[in-house]
Amino acid sequence: MSRLIALVPAAGSGSRIGTAVPKQYLPLAGRPLLAHTLAALLVHPAIDAVAVVISPEDEWFDSYEWPQELAVLRCGGASRAESVANGLVQLALDDDDWVLVHDAARVGISQAALTRLIATLASDPVGGLLALPVPDTVKRGDSENRVADTLPRADLWLAQTPQMFRAGLLKQALAAAPLAEITDEASAIERLGFSPRLVEGEAGNFKVTYPQDLTLAEALLSARAG
Ligand SMILES: Nc1ccn([C@@H]2O[C@H](COP(=O)(O)OP(=O)(O)OP(=O)(O)O)[C@@H](O)[C@H]2O)c(=O)n1
Ligand SMILES: C[C@](O)(CO)[C@H](O)COP(=O)(O)O
């Protein structure tokens, strides 16, 4: 029987948030940011195991206590895609196993969104991702920040994570892709000619990217804690 393994890339530097402490270890509602993301995955009943990819140079991870069942892979690479590809190599996976890749920085992932993704993709031949239909009018800008035109948005979605694919297909896709150009798993799969399924995500599953996102994330997590 195939398994479902969550893989969390957490080897980034958080350059856009610009803090001395790397983004994944910033304190958020009483715990390092990464701990919230891992906790959401570890409690989901359909997920068999959770692995985190950290940088080989990481000097922070060992300062905290982590759940014993967490697999820690110290093989992060120069880009997110490289960290995911390296992590997949380290895990002993069957080609049929599902891999659910989720950004450490998306702390707001809910159990309901995880269940929706996993249930929708269980019988899908390709796999897919959480994504949000674009809610605003979309403008293309020119080099002087003036509007060049307004784009039709009916078919536009904002890609979130988790992104869930069979291990064999994902490994093949990442091995064939120019990793420096790949910003998510789905785009590597697309390059093989497949069309990943879009499953409706949620606004709370945003990626903590800029300093102001921390306030939002803290409010979301505190509200959920009750
Ligand atoms: N070489 C890298 C770069 C990113 N990531 C991870 O990929 C996720 C999404 O990346 P992003 O939010 O862009 O994080 P950073 O790369 O840390 O941020 P920035 O781009 O602002 O430097 C994060 O959980 C991050 O830790 C990773 O594992 N390895
Ligand atoms: C994978 C991702 O979260 C999808 O939106 C996103 O591409 C990762 O962030 P980055 O800024 O591209 O590293």
Side-chain angles (χ1 to χ4, degrees), residues 106 109 113 116-117 128-135 155-163 184 186 196-203 205:
R106 291 187 189 269
I109 185 67
R116 187 160 62 246
L117 180 76
L129 64 150
L130 288 183
L132 268 189
V134 169
D155 299 330
L156 296 183
W157 296 68
L158 297 169
Q160 298 189 333
T161 68
Q163 304 203 355
D184 70 347
R197 175 91 180 254
L198 293 159
V199 179
E200 188 139 350
E202 52 194 15
N205 184 31

PDB file of all heavy atoms in Angstrom, residues 106 109 113 116-117 128-135 155-163 184 186 196-203 205:
ATOM      1  N   ARG A 106       4.393  28.453   5.448  1.00  0.00           N
ATOM      2  CA  ARG A 106       2.915  28.526   5.405  1.00  0.00           C
ATOM      3  C   ARG A 106       2.370  27.925   6.699  1.00  0.00           C
ATOM      4  O   ARG A 106       1.929  26.770   6.727  1.00  0.00           O
ATOM      5  CB  ARG A 106       2.372  27.815   4.168  1.00  0.00           C
ATOM      6  CG  ARG A 106       2.708  28.530   2.880  1.00  0.00           C
ATOM      7  CD  ARG A 106       2.029  27.915   1.681  1.00  0.00           C
ATOM      8  NE  ARG A 106       2.529  28.485   0.455  1.00  0.00           N
ATOM      9  CZ  ARG A 106       2.008  29.547  -0.173  1.00  0.00           C
ATOM     10  NH1 ARG A 106       0.950  30.147   0.317  1.00  0.00           N
ATOM     11  NH2 ARG A 106       2.539  30.002  -1.284  1.00  0.00           N
ATOM     12  N   ILE A 109      -1.735  26.582   7.469  1.00  0.00           N
ATOM     13  CA  ILE A 109      -2.419  25.451   6.819  1.00  0.00           C
ATOM     14  C   ILE A 109      -3.411  24.818   7.803  1.00  0.00           C
ATOM     15  O   ILE A 109      -3.053  24.538   8.947  1.00  0.00           O
ATOM     16  CB  ILE A 109      -1.402  24.404   6.295  1.00  0.00           C
ATOM     17  CG1 ILE A 109      -2.108  23.283   5.522  1.00  0.00           C
ATOM     18  CG2 ILE A 109      -0.515  23.843   7.398  1.00  0.00           C
ATOM     19  CD1 ILE A 109      -2.741  23.702   4.239  1.00  0.00           C
ATOM     20  N   ALA A 113      -8.136  22.094   4.964  1.00  0.00           N
ATOM     21  CA  ALA A 113      -7.508  22.253   3.634  1.00  0.00           C
ATOM     22  C   ALA A 113      -6.654  21.034   3.307  1.00  0.00           C
ATOM     23  O   ALA A 113      -6.634  20.556   2.162  1.00  0.00           O
ATOM     24  CB  ALA A 113      -6.678  23.528   3.598  1.00  0.00           C
ATOM     25  N   ARG A 116      -9.013  18.280   2.317  1.00  0.00           N
ATOM     26  CA  ARG A 116      -9.592  18.524   0.983  1.00  0.00           C
ATOM     27  C   ARG A 116      -8.601  18.137  -0.110  1.00  0.00           C
ATOM     28  O   ARG A 116      -8.931  17.475  -1.081  1.00  0.00           O
ATOM     29  CB  ARG A 116      -9.976  20.004   0.881  1.00  0.00           C
ATOM     30  CG  ARG A 116     -10.735  20.370  -0.360  1.00  0.00           C
ATOM     31  CD  ARG A 116     -11.497  21.671  -0.194  1.00  0.00           C
ATOM     32  NE  ARG A 116     -10.657  22.825   0.066  1.00  0.00           N
ATOM     33  CZ  ARG A 116     -10.641  23.527   1.199  1.00  0.00           C
ATOM     34  NH1 ARG A 116     -11.396  23.171   2.206  1.00  0.00           N
ATOM     35  NH2 ARG A 116      -9.857  24.582   1.330  1.00  0.00           N
ATOM     36  N   LEU A 117      -7.347  18.542   0.070  1.00  0.00           N
ATOM     37  CA  LEU A 117      -6.318  18.237  -0.937  1.00  0.00           C
ATOM     38  C   LEU A 117      -6.108  16.723  -1.049  1.00  0.00           C
ATOM     39  O   LEU A 117      -6.116  16.160  -2.152  1.00  0.00           O
ATOM     40  CB  LEU A 117      -4.997  18.914  -0.557  1.00  0.00           C
ATOM     41  CG  LEU A 117      -3.850  18.664  -1.535  1.00  0.00           C
ATOM     42  CD1 LEU A 117      -4.027  19.501  -2.798  1.00  0.00           C
ATOM     43  CD2 LEU A 117      -2.491  18.963  -0.902  1.00  0.00           C
ATOM     44  N   GLY A 128      -1.589  17.209  -7.571  1.00  0.00           N
ATOM     45  CA  GLY A 128      -1.977  18.607  -7.690  1.00  0.00           C
ATOM     46  C   GLY A 128      -1.571  19.429  -6.493  1.00  0.00           C
ATOM     47  O   GLY A 128      -0.684  19.049  -5.729  1.00  0.00           O
ATOM     48  N   LEU A 129      -2.275  20.556  -6.343  1.00  0.00           N
ATOM     49  CA  LEU A 129      -1.844  21.542  -5.345  1.00  0.00           C
ATOM     50  C   LEU A 129      -3.026  22.353  -4.853  1.00  0.00           C
ATOM     51  O   LEU A 129      -4.035  22.465  -5.551  1.00  0.00           O
ATOM     52  CB  LEU A 129      -0.821  22.493  -5.970  1.00  0.00           C
ATOM     53  CG  LEU A 129      -1.323  23.367  -7.128  1.00  0.00           C
ATOM     54  CD1 LEU A 129      -0.545  24.686  -7.156  1.00  0.00           C
ATOM     55  CD2 LEU A 129      -1.174  22.656  -8.463  1.00  0.00           C
ATOM     56  N   LEU A 130      -2.858  22.930  -3.659  1.00  0.00           N
ATOM     57  CA  LEU A 130      -3.811  23.942  -3.214  1.00  0.00           C
ATOM     58  C   LEU A 130      -3.512  25.231  -3.957  1.00  0.00           C
ATOM     59  O   LEU A 130      -2.335  25.570  -4.181  1.00  0.00           O
ATOM     60  CB  LEU A 130      -3.683  24.188  -1.712  1.00  0.00           C
ATOM     61  CG  LEU A 130      -4.173  23.106  -0.752  1.00  0.00           C
ATOM     62  CD1 LEU A 130      -4.013  23.580   0.693  1.00  0.00           C
ATOM     63  CD2 LEU A 130      -5.622  22.707  -1.021  1.00  0.00           C
ATOM     64  N   ALA A 131      -4.543  25.946  -4.314  1.00  0.00           N
ATOM     65  CA  ALA A 131      -4.353  27.230  -5.006  1.00  0.00           C
ATOM     66  C   ALA A 131      -5.603  28.072  -4.785  1.00  0.00           C
ATOM     67  O   ALA A 131      -6.679  27.544  -4.494  1.00  0.00           O
ATOM     68  CB  ALA A 131      -4.115  27.001  -6.487  1.00  0.00           C
ATOM     69  N   LEU A 132      -5.442  29.383  -4.933  1.00  0.00           N
ATOM     70  CA  LEU A 132      -6.553  30.309  -4.712  1.00  0.00           C
ATOM     71  C   LEU A 132      -6.889  31.034  -6.006  1.00  0.00           C
ATOM     72  O   LEU A 132      -5.983  31.621  -6.628  1.00  0.00           O
ATOM     73  CB  LEU A 132      -6.136  31.379  -3.708  1.00  0.00           C
ATOM     74  CG  LEU A 132      -6.401  31.192  -2.240  1.00  0.00           C
ATOM     75  CD1 LEU A 132      -6.077  32.494  -1.520  1.00  0.00           C
ATOM     76  CD2 LEU A 132      -7.838  30.781  -1.971  1.00  0.00           C
ATOM     77  N   PRO A 133      -8.159  31.031  -6.414  1.00  0.00           N
ATOM     78  CA  PRO A 133      -8.532  31.862  -7.566  1.00  0.00           C
ATOM     79  C   PRO A 133      -8.163  33.325  -7.258  1.00  0.00           C
ATOM     80  O   PRO A 133      -8.388  33.789  -6.133  1.00  0.00           O
ATOM     81  CB  PRO A 133     -10.049  31.700  -7.649  1.00  0.00           C
ATOM     82  CG  PRO A 133     -10.362  30.449  -6.895  1.00  0.00           C
ATOM     83  CD  PRO A 133      -9.294  30.321  -5.837  1.00  0.00           C
ATOM     84  N   VAL A 134      -7.583  34.023  -8.226  1.00  0.00           N
ATOM     85  CA  VAL A 134      -7.142  35.412  -7.985  1.00  0.00           C
ATOM     86  C   VAL A 134      -8.357  36.278  -7.653  1.00  0.00           C
ATOM     87  O   VAL A 134      -9.315  36.323  -8.429  1.00  0.00           O
ATOM     88  CB  VAL A 134      -6.392  35.955  -9.227  1.00  0.00           C
ATOM     89  CG1 VAL A 134      -6.164  37.459  -9.094  1.00  0.00           C
ATOM     90  CG2 VAL A 134      -5.073  35.226  -9.397  1.00  0.00           C
ATOM     91  N   PRO A 135      -8.351  36.943  -6.490  1.00  0.00           N
ATOM     92  CA  PRO A 135      -9.549  37.664  -6.068  1.00  0.00           C
ATOM     93  C   PRO A 135      -9.604  39.123  -6.532  1.00  0.00           C
ATOM     94  O   PRO A 135     -10.621  39.783  -6.366  1.00  0.00           O
ATOM     95  CB  PRO A 135      -9.448  37.611  -4.538  1.00  0.00           C
ATOM     96  CG  PRO A 135      -7.990  37.585  -4.265  1.00  0.00           C
ATOM     97  CD  PRO A 135      -7.323  36.923  -5.439  1.00  0.00           C
ATOM     98  N   ASP A 155      -9.134  32.687 -15.318  1.00  0.00           N
ATOM     99  CA  ASP A 155      -8.440  31.396 -15.227  1.00  0.00           C
ATOM    100  C   ASP A 155      -7.188  31.458 -14.345  1.00  0.00           C
ATOM    101  O   ASP A 155      -6.399  30.509 -14.347  1.00  0.00           O
ATOM    102  CB  ASP A 155      -8.006  30.931 -16.625  1.00  0.00           C
ATOM    103  CG  ASP A 155      -9.200  30.736 -17.537  1.00  0.00           C
ATOM    104  OD1 ASP A 155     -10.275  30.405 -17.010  1.00  0.00           O
ATOM    105  OD2 ASP A 155      -9.063  30.930 -18.754  1.00  0.00           O
ATOM    106  N   LEU A 156      -6.988  32.555 -13.644  1.00  0.00           N
ATOM    107  CA  LEU A 156      -5.738  32.690 -12.871  1.00  0.00           C
ATOM    108  C   LEU A 156      -5.907  32.213 -11.431  1.00  0.00           C
ATOM    109  O   LEU A 156      -6.892  32.542 -10.764  1.00  0.00           O
ATOM    110  CB  LEU A 156      -5.267  34.144 -12.876  1.00  0.00           C
ATOM    111  CG  LEU A 156      -4.883  34.723 -14.239  1.00  0.00           C
ATOM    112  CD1 LEU A 156      -4.360  36.146 -14.069  1.00  0.00           C
ATOM    113  CD2 LEU A 156      -3.838  33.864 -14.945  1.00  0.00           C
ATOM    114  N   TRP A 157      -4.930  31.454 -10.976  1.00  0.00           N
ATOM    115  CA  TRP A 157      -4.909  30.938  -9.600  1.00  0.00           C
ATOM    116  C   TRP A 157      -3.557  31.279  -8.982  1.00  0.00           C
ATOM    117  O   TRP A 157      -2.530  31.288  -9.679  1.00  0.00           O
ATOM    118  CB  TRP A 157      -5.049  29.415  -9.594  1.00  0.00           C
ATOM    119  CG  TRP A 157      -6.324  28.858 -10.111  1.00  0.00           C
ATOM    120  CD1 TRP A 157      -6.767  28.900 -11.400  1.00  0.00           C
ATOM    121  CD2 TRP A 157      -7.334  28.152  -9.369  1.00  0.00           C
ATOM    122  NE1 TRP A 157      -7.978  28.262 -11.502  1.00  0.00           N
ATOM    123  CE2 TRP A 157      -8.346  27.784 -10.271  1.00  0.00           C
ATOM    124  CE3 TRP A 157      -7.453  27.777  -8.029  1.00  0.00           C
ATOM    125  CZ2 TRP A 157      -9.484  27.073  -9.878  1.00  0.00           C
ATOM    126  CZ3 TRP A 157      -8.585  27.066  -7.641  1.00  0.00           C
ATOM    127  CH2 TRP A 157      -9.595  26.727  -8.554  1.00  0.00           C
ATOM    128  N   LEU A 158      -3.552  31.510  -7.678  1.00  0.00           N
ATOM    129  CA  LEU A 158      -2.300  31.705  -6.942  1.00  0.00           C
ATOM    130  C   LEU A 158      -1.910  30.367  -6.326  1.00  0.00           C
ATOM    131  O   LEU A 158      -2.679  29.787  -5.543  1.00  0.00           O
ATOM    132  CB  LEU A 158      -2.494  32.741  -5.831  1.00  0.00           C
ATOM    133  CG  LEU A 158      -2.868  34.147  -6.301  1.00  0.00           C
ATOM    134  CD1 LEU A 158      -3.294  35.019  -5.112  1.00  0.00           C
ATOM    135  CD2 LEU A 158      -1.687  34.795  -7.023  1.00  0.00           C
ATOM    136  N   ALA A 159      -0.730  29.881  -6.695  1.00  0.00           N
ATOM    137  CA  ALA A 159      -0.287  28.563  -6.204  1.00  0.00           C
ATOM    138  C   ALA A 159       0.077  28.647  -4.727  1.00  0.00           C
ATOM    139  O   ALA A 159       0.795  29.546  -4.299  1.00  0.00           O
ATOM    140  CB  ALA A 159       0.912  28.094  -7.014  1.00  0.00           C
ATOM    141  N   GLN A 160      -0.456  27.700  -3.955  1.00  0.00           N
ATOM    142  CA  GLN A 160      -0.051  27.557  -2.556  1.00  0.00           C
ATOM    143  C   GLN A 160       0.650  26.214  -2.419  1.00  0.00           C
ATOM    144  O   GLN A 160       0.947  25.540  -3.408  1.00  0.00           O
ATOM    145  CB  GLN A 160      -1.287  27.592  -1.647  1.00  0.00           C
ATOM    146  CG  GLN A 160      -2.075  28.893  -1.695  1.00  0.00           C
ATOM    147  CD  GLN A 160      -3.164  28.983  -0.621  1.00  0.00           C
ATOM    148  OE1 GLN A 160      -3.688  27.968  -0.160  1.00  0.00           O
ATOM    149  NE2 GLN A 160      -3.501  30.194  -0.219  1.00  0.00           N
ATOM    150  N   THR A 161       0.927  25.835  -1.203  1.00  0.00           N
ATOM    151  CA  THR A 161       1.308  24.474  -0.879  1.00  0.00           C
ATOM    152  C   THR A 161       0.334  24.030   0.205  1.00  0.00           C
ATOM    153  O   THR A 161      -0.285  24.892   0.829  1.00  0.00           O
ATOM    154  CB  THR A 161       2.765  24.356  -0.380  1.00  0.00           C
ATOM    155  OG1 THR A 161       2.884  24.995   0.893  1.00  0.00           O
ATOM    156  CG2 THR A 161       3.740  24.972  -1.374  1.00  0.00           C
ATOM    157  N   PRO A 162       0.179  22.727   0.483  1.00  0.00           N
ATOM    158  CA  PRO A 162       0.916  21.601  -0.073  1.00  0.00           C
ATOM    159  C   PRO A 162       0.668  21.378  -1.564  1.00  0.00           C
ATOM    160  O   PRO A 162      -0.361  21.722  -2.102  1.00  0.00           O
ATOM    161  CB  PRO A 162       0.391  20.399   0.714  1.00  0.00           C
ATOM    162  CG  PRO A 162      -0.261  20.958   1.919  1.00  0.00           C
ATOM    163  CD  PRO A 162      -0.732  22.312   1.558  1.00  0.00           C
ATOM    164  N   GLN A 163       1.707  20.745  -2.167  1.00  0.00           N
ATOM    165  CA  GLN A 163       1.626  20.239  -3.527  1.00  0.00           C
ATOM    166  C   GLN A 163       1.929  18.746  -3.410  1.00  0.00           C
ATOM    167  O   GLN A 163       2.905  18.358  -2.765  1.00  0.00           O
ATOM    168  CB  GLN A 163       2.623  20.969  -4.413  1.00  0.00           C
ATOM    169  CG  GLN A 163       2.404  22.488  -4.363  1.00  0.00           C
ATOM    170  CD  GLN A 163       2.921  23.256  -5.550  1.00  0.00           C
ATOM    171  OE1 GLN A 163       3.547  22.693  -6.440  1.00  0.00           O
ATOM    172  NE2 GLN A 163       2.648  24.552  -5.571  1.00  0.00           N
ATOM    173  N   ASP A 184       7.930  25.923  -7.896  1.00  0.00           N
ATOM    174  CA  ASP A 184       7.088  24.972  -7.164  1.00  0.00           C
ATOM    175  C   ASP A 184       7.132  23.605  -7.846  1.00  0.00           C
ATOM    176  O   ASP A 184       7.617  23.477  -8.971  1.00  0.00           O
ATOM    177  CB  ASP A 184       5.649  25.488  -6.987  1.00  0.00           C
ATOM    178  CG  ASP A 184       4.837  25.521  -8.277  1.00  0.00           C
ATOM    179  OD1 ASP A 184       5.423  25.375  -9.380  1.00  0.00           O
ATOM    180  OD2 ASP A 184       3.615  25.692  -8.191  1.00  0.00           O
ATOM    181  N   ALA A 186       4.665  21.752  -8.885  1.00  0.00           N
ATOM    182  CA  ALA A 186       3.732  21.609 -10.009  1.00  0.00           C
ATOM    183  C   ALA A 186       4.391  22.036 -11.326  1.00  0.00           C
ATOM    184  O   ALA A 186       4.187  21.394 -12.359  1.00  0.00           O
ATOM    185  CB  ALA A 186       2.477  22.430  -9.740  1.00  0.00           C
ATOM    186  N   PRO A 196      -1.325  19.282 -13.457  1.00  0.00           N
ATOM    187  CA  PRO A 196      -1.708  19.058 -12.051  1.00  0.00           C
ATOM    188  C   PRO A 196      -3.097  19.622 -11.744  1.00  0.00           C
ATOM    189  O   PRO A 196      -3.513  20.618 -12.342  1.00  0.00           O
ATOM    190  CB  PRO A 196      -0.631  19.808 -11.266  1.00  0.00           C
ATOM    191  CG  PRO A 196       0.522  19.914 -12.203  1.00  0.00           C
ATOM    192  CD  PRO A 196      -0.075  20.040 -13.570  1.00  0.00           C
ATOM    193  N   ARG A 197      -3.789  18.995 -10.809  1.00  0.00           N
ATOM    194  CA  ARG A 197      -5.138  19.409 -10.407  1.00  0.00           C
ATOM    195  C   ARG A 197      -5.054  20.589  -9.433  1.00  0.00           C
ATOM    196  O   ARG A 197      -4.248  20.576  -8.495  1.00  0.00           O
ATOM    197  CB  ARG A 197      -5.810  18.211  -9.721  1.00  0.00           C
ATOM    198  CG  ARG A 197      -7.169  18.469  -9.132  1.00  0.00           C
ATOM    199  CD  ARG A 197      -8.250  18.181 -10.133  1.00  0.00           C
ATOM    200  NE  ARG A 197      -9.564  18.426  -9.540  1.00  0.00           N
ATOM    201  CZ  ARG A 197     -10.394  17.462  -9.182  1.00  0.00           C
ATOM    202  NH1 ARG A 197     -10.080  16.206  -9.360  1.00  0.00           N
ATOM    203  NH2 ARG A 197     -11.583  17.765  -8.666  1.00  0.00           N
ATOM    204  N   LEU A 198      -5.907  21.586  -9.652  1.00  0.00           N
ATOM    205  CA  LEU A 198      -5.994  22.730  -8.744  1.00  0.00           C
ATOM    206  C   LEU A 198      -7.104  22.467  -7.730  1.00  0.00           C
ATOM    207  O   LEU A 198      -8.252  22.232  -8.110  1.00  0.00           O
ATOM    208  CB  LEU A 198      -6.304  24.003  -9.535  1.00  0.00           C
ATOM    209  CG  LEU A 198      -5.181  24.473 -10.471  1.00  0.00           C
ATOM    210  CD1 LEU A 198      -5.731  25.392 -11.553  1.00  0.00           C
ATOM    211  CD2 LEU A 198      -4.081  25.171  -9.671  1.00  0.00           C
ATOM    212  N   VAL A 199      -6.757  22.492  -6.468  1.00  0.00           N
ATOM    213  CA  VAL A 199      -7.723  22.257  -5.386  1.00  0.00           C
ATOM    214  C   VAL A 199      -7.808  23.550  -4.582  1.00  0.00           C
ATOM    215  O   VAL A 199      -6.761  24.115  -4.211  1.00  0.00           O
ATOM    216  CB  VAL A 199      -7.257  21.092  -4.473  1.00  0.00           C
ATOM    217  CG1 VAL A 199      -8.246  20.864  -3.334  1.00  0.00           C
ATOM    218  CG2 VAL A 199      -7.065  19.815  -5.291  1.00  0.00           C
ATOM    219  N   GLU A 200      -9.030  24.003  -4.323  1.00  0.00           N
ATOM    220  CA  GLU A 200      -9.177  25.326  -3.692  1.00  0.00           C
ATOM    221  C   GLU A 200      -8.493  25.390  -2.319  1.00  0.00           C
ATOM    222  O   GLU A 200      -8.765  24.592  -1.427  1.00  0.00           O
ATOM    223  CB  GLU A 200     -10.657  25.690  -3.569  1.00  0.00           C
ATOM    224  CG  GLU A 200     -10.824  27.117  -3.103  1.00  0.00           C
ATOM    225  CD  GLU A 200     -11.944  27.864  -3.824  1.00  0.00           C
ATOM    226  OE1 GLU A 200     -12.481  27.351  -4.822  1.00  0.00           O
ATOM    227  OE2 GLU A 200     -12.260  28.970  -3.365  1.00  0.00           O
ATOM    228  N   GLY A 201      -7.578  26.337  -2.186  1.00  0.00           N
ATOM    229  CA  GLY A 201      -6.873  26.551  -0.923  1.00  0.00           C
ATOM    230  C   GLY A 201      -7.647  27.538  -0.061  1.00  0.00           C
ATOM    231  O   GLY A 201      -8.864  27.651  -0.170  1.00  0.00           O
ATOM    232  N   GLU A 202      -6.927  28.277   0.782  1.00  0.00           N
ATOM    233  CA  GLU A 202      -7.606  29.273   1.606  1.00  0.00           C
ATOM    234  C   GLU A 202      -6.658  30.420   1.922  1.00  0.00           C
ATOM    235  O   GLU A 202      -5.430  30.236   1.950  1.00  0.00           O
ATOM    236  CB  GLU A 202      -8.167  28.635   2.879  1.00  0.00           C
ATOM    237  CG  GLU A 202      -7.161  27.832   3.646  1.00  0.00           C
ATOM    238  CD  GLU A 202      -7.808  26.932   4.704  1.00  0.00           C
ATOM    239  OE1 GLU A 202      -9.031  26.711   4.668  1.00  0.00           O
ATOM    240  OE2 GLU A 202      -7.061  26.463   5.569  1.00  0.00           O
ATOM    241  N   ALA A 203      -7.259  31.601   2.158  1.00  0.00           N
ATOM    242  CA  ALA A 203      -6.457  32.804   2.361  1.00  0.00           C
ATOM    243  C   ALA A 203      -5.530  32.665   3.571  1.00  0.00           C
ATOM    244  O   ALA A 203      -4.407  33.180   3.569  1.00  0.00           O
ATOM    245  CB  ALA A 203      -7.381  34.004   2.531  1.00  0.00           C
ATOM    246  N   ASN A 205      -3.821  30.315   4.444  1.00  0.00           N
ATOM    247  CA  ASN A 205      -2.623  29.515   4.130  1.00  0.00           C
ATOM    248  C   ASN A 205      -1.618  30.364   3.350  1.00  0.00           C
ATOM    249  O   ASN A 205      -1.035  29.925   2.368  1.00  0.00           O
ATOM    250  CB  ASN A 205      -3.068  28.284   3.322  1.00  0.00           C
ATOM    251  CG  ASN A 205      -1.927  27.331   3.022  1.00  0.00           C
ATOM    252  OD1 ASN A 205      -0.973  27.211   3.798  1.00  0.00           O
ATOM    253  ND2 ASN A 205      -2.006  26.652   1.880  1.00  0.00           N
TER     254      ASN A 205
END
